[in-house]
Amino acid sequence: MKKELVFALCCLSALGSVAQENQDRDVFKEYERFKQQSKSEYSDFRKKANDSYCEFMRHRWDWYKDQPEIKMPQEEVDPVPVPQAPDADKPLEDGLVTIKSVIHALPVPEQPNPIAAVPEVTGTTGTFTFEVYGTRMQVRLDASQRFHLKGVTENDVADGWQLLSGQAYNNLLRDCLSLRIKHNLCDWAYLNMLQQLSESFLGKGTPEAVLMQTFLFNQSGYKARLGRSRTNRLYLLVASNHVIYKQKYFQIKDELFYPLQYEENGLFIYTAQYPGEQTMSLVVGKEQKFDVAETEPHRLVSKGGDSLEVALQFNSNLMNFYLNYPQSHINNDETTKWTFFATTPISERVKNQLYPVLEKATAGKSKRDAANVLIRFVQTAFEYKLDNEVWGDDHPFFAEETLFYPFSDCEDRVVLYATLVRDLLHLDTILLYYPGHLAMAVCLEEEVGGKTLQFGGKTYVYCEPTCNGYAPVGWCPPALSALSPVVIAY
């Protein structure tokens, strides 16, 4: 009886297993069917979106007059002279710094993506290699995919867009998006990558190259418009919530669009919106991974009791990228421009050379003493010069640029010091804007004396990275001690 019962249970179990296997197979088949259907639906959705976009593109484009460029703001007061270093034997003057107002930086937005999955096309073998910021890149593209527009009328451009939106260019778009990920490209770097690709493949300044760049930028999820001049040239216009200085723009439905390489007085513009489009961000936010072209060593030596010396080699490709990066601000507030620089990290390459030296110098020290080692380095290892003397205009640096160039001013040193404190001491920092000067404060998480601020429920200690000698954290120049700064939180 016992054996029969066991046998019966085994049979039931086996039957159950068979039934489960059949059910699993049915579910898997259903999943595969759904997946294929979804791919088809995604593909159909993207095709319908492009077909509709092309259809409206054939209608007459509207004429727009460009708006004059927004000049970089000029300070209403002269720059604050470099503060004189305090007497080392004199105790710090305690006091609470009152805050005038607070500016919050916007969070870094997620980069956009195509409105639907772009299916990969099998069987293509041709590749095309191009270079951007000294970096060799490759996409699946061959000579057979070069095209020629009959002209630049609405119909001619729509025909070109219809061609590009066909499956033959799917792999190109997929590869461009993969390069954006591989090289950590911010929106501005990605836009310039597409320009180099299009011009290398179709010719610099040609309408075909402009159309391809516009198409790839648009299909990547960005808000872009096409313009045609009275001289029959095509222009790509990109939308940005960040006001870009020294660049003419067009206002279309309360949004600002900036034309690239623009040399005209007004454009006929195709203004239709594409589904899911997103404005370009000018926030860098992460290290751009370009091929390395090594510079000669740059020797930095700080002065004083904690003298440090380090020789740094930089990637000239990254330095060239930074050199011409557009300046901008957000929320109609010019003081927000520094958040773009303060939130961009130093490259891992330079960190690996610099940080071991700084970590050794700060090892075993209190937060205050470690912060003082770092501030002495920033105060004394660089030569001070105003931007107007060196560049002819305001020219704030990313932190790595301050390490690279021989001259720097207050805003550059603040960005560098804030970066070092955040990376090495893992402490929160804020920027402090005074008319004609930029300083900062750090939350040391311990009592250190000197000038402090209360912000966000925490105590921050005033820091002056710009000085003609060593000034410890907590020391505030007498000329600023009675003033109330604007806090820039990021």
Side-chain angles (χ1 to χ4, degrees):
M1 182 67 181
K2 188 175 183 180
K3 290 181 180 179
E4 292 173 351
L5 180 59
V6 171
F7 177 73
L9 290 173
C10 289
C11 289
L12 287 172
S13 177
L15 289 172
S17 298
V18 171
Q20 183 63 47
E21 287 177 7
N22 290 335
Q23 184 179 359
D24 288 345
R25 277 198 295 270
D26 291 342
V27 169
F28 179 75
K29 288 179 181 178
E30 179 64 20
Y31 171 73
E32 285 297 311
R33 187 190 66 76
F34 171 76
K35 190 167 69 170
Q36 293 301 323
Q37 179 184 355
S38 296
K39 282 184 179 180
S40 176
E41 288 174 354
Y42 277 133
S43 182
D44 289 346
F45 177 67
R46 181 167 172 263
K47 182 180 184 305
K48 288 176 183 177
N50 277 308
D51 287 347
S52 176
Y53 199 65
C54 283
E55 185 60 34
F56 282 107
M57 192 178 284
R58 297 181 189 280
H59 298 172
R60 181 180 176 85
W61 297 2
D62 298 322
W63 174 259
Y64 282 82
K65 182 73 178 71
D66 57 58
Q67 301 298 313
E69 64 183 44
I70 298 173
K71 298 185 182 301
M72 284 193 293
Q74 299 297 318
E75 287 275 10
E76 296 180 357
V77 299
D78 293 332
V80 172
V82 177
Q84 298 295 311
D87 186 342
D89 298 325
K90 189 176 181 181
L92 292 176
E93 181 181 336
D94 293 337
L96 185 65
V97 177
T98 59
I99 295 172
K100 181 180 180 180
S101 59
V102 178
I103 299 295
H104 290 276
L106 294 179
V108 180
E110 292 289 329
Q111 289 187 301
N113 285 301
I115 57 169
V118 181
E120 188 168 15
V121 179
T122 59
T124 58
T125 57
T127 60
F128 180 75
T129 302
F130 63 103
E131 186 175 294
V132 57
Y133 300 118
T135 304
R136 288 176 63 82
M137 300 183 183
Q138 189 176 83
V139 293
R140 284 172 288 181
L141 193 64
D142 60 40
S144 67
Q145 291 172 279
R146 287 192 173 92
F147 62 94
H148 180 71
L149 298 177
K150 294 180 181 178
V152 291
T153 67
E154 289 85 348
N155 278 326
D156 295 330
V157 175
D159 288 342
W161 193 280
Q162 195 80 58
L163 173 69
L164 288 167
S165 61
Q167 285 193 353
Y169 294 88
N170 277 12
N171 290 347
L172 170 62
L173 176 57
R174 289 172 62 93
D175 290 348
C176 288
L177 291 166
S178 294
L179 288 169
R180 187 180 71 175
I181 295 172
K182 177 182 177 181
H183 295 281
N184 252 5
L185 301 180
C186 65
D187 291 351
W188 181 257
Y190 185 63
L191 176 66
N192 281 274
M193 185 205 83
L194 297 181
Q195 179 182 340
Q196 287 298 110
L197 162 62
S198 301
E199 291 186 345
S200 298
F201 188 66
L202 293 167
K204 185 174 182 179
T206 63
E208 291 82 5
V210 174
L211 182 61
M212 175 177 273
Q213 183 190 9
T214 306
F215 172 81
L216 292 172
F217 201 58
N218 165 276
Q219 298 292 292
S220 298
Y222 294 94
K223 186 174 292 188
R225 299 290 181 265
L226 268 168
R228 183 185 70 247
S229 69
R230 288 196 169 107
T231 58
N232 287 326
R233 289 187 60 185
L234 287 184
Y235 289 90
L236 163 60
L237 297 85
V238 296
S240 174
N241 288 332
H242 305 149
V243 170
I244 304 175
Y245 303 145
K246 297 183 176 180
Q247 177 74 50
K248 287 186 176 182
Y249 64 93
F250 291 86
Q251 187 163 338
I252 304 173
K253 298 177 182 176
D254 297 324
E255 288 190 281
L256 304 188
F257 285 82
Y258 294 86
L260 301 184
Q261 301 175 312
Y262 178 69
E263 301 172 353
E264 308 286 347
N265 292 302
L267 293 173
F268 294 99
I269 299 175
Y270 176 51
T271 61
Q273 296 182 1
Y274 194 85
E277 59 185 16
Q278 181 175 313
T279 56
M280 175 184 70
S281 169
L282 280 174
V283 175
V284 180
K286 52 192 175 183
E287 178 186 348
Q288 307 297 287
K289 295 181 179 179
F290 303 129
D291 290 349
V292 175
E294 202 169 66
T295 68
E296 292 295 319
H298 291 227
R299 183 169 170 265
L300 296 174
V301 182
S302 64
K303 304 173 183 65
D306 290 309
S307 178
L308 300 175
E309 180 175 347
V310 62
L312 303 176
Q313 290 181 287
F314 299 84
N315 183 0
S316 62
N317 292 329
L318 180 60
M319 293 300 102
N320 289 334
F321 167 74
Y322 286 147
L323 180 61
N324 297 309
Y325 204 82
Q327 289 193 53
S328 59
H329 67 247
I330 52 179
N331 288 343
N332 294 318
D333 193 311
E334 298 155 3
T335 60
T336 61
K337 68 178 181 179
W338 290 298
T339 64
F340 293 84
F341 300 91
T343 56
T344 299
I346 295 172
S347 70
E348 290 300 317
R349 177 179 182 78
V350 171
K351 283 182 183 179
N352 290 338
Q353 301 170 73
L354 175 63
Y355 283 15
V357 176
L358 299 180
E359 286 168 347
K360 182 178 179 180
T362 56
K365 289 182 167 57
S366 66
K367 296 290 188 183
R368 180 194 66 179
D369 291 344
N372 280 332
V373 170
L374 298 180
I375 205 168
R376 184 192 291 272
F377 173 73
V378 174
Q379 290 165 340
T380 64
F382 309 93
E383 184 175 346
Y384 180 90
K385 272 195 179 181
L386 293 171
D387 286 342
N388 286 342
E389 300 176 50
V390 181
W391 303 96
D393 210 339
D394 185 40
H395 192 102
F397 284 160
F398 293 95
E400 193 155 336
E401 290 184 292
T402 303
L403 295 166
F404 177 74
Y405 290 106
F407 309 112
S408 55
D409 61 10
C410 63
E411 59 192 2
D412 309 323
R413 298 181 185 207
V414 162
V415 167
L416 174 60
Y417 184 58
T419 302
L420 296 180
V421 167
R422 281 174 170 260
D423 286 355
L424 296 169
L425 306 184
H426 312 292
L427 299 173
D428 291 338
T429 61
I430 53 176
L431 310 185
L432 305 177
Y433 170 70
Y434 297 87
H437 189 63
L438 192 69
M440 59 168 286
V442 57
C443 182
L444 282 174
E445 302 170 352
E446 60 184 57
E447 293 287 338
V448 301
K451 296 290 186 178
T452 59
L453 305 85
Q454 295 297 317
F455 176 72
K458 299 178 181 179
T459 299
Y460 285 76
V461 180
Y462 183 97
C463 301
E464 186 50 75
T466 306
C467 199
N468 72 343
Y470 170 62
V473 297
W475 180 79
C476 178
L480 300 176
S481 61
L483 302 180
S484 299
V486 174
V487 167
I488 304 171
Y490 62 102

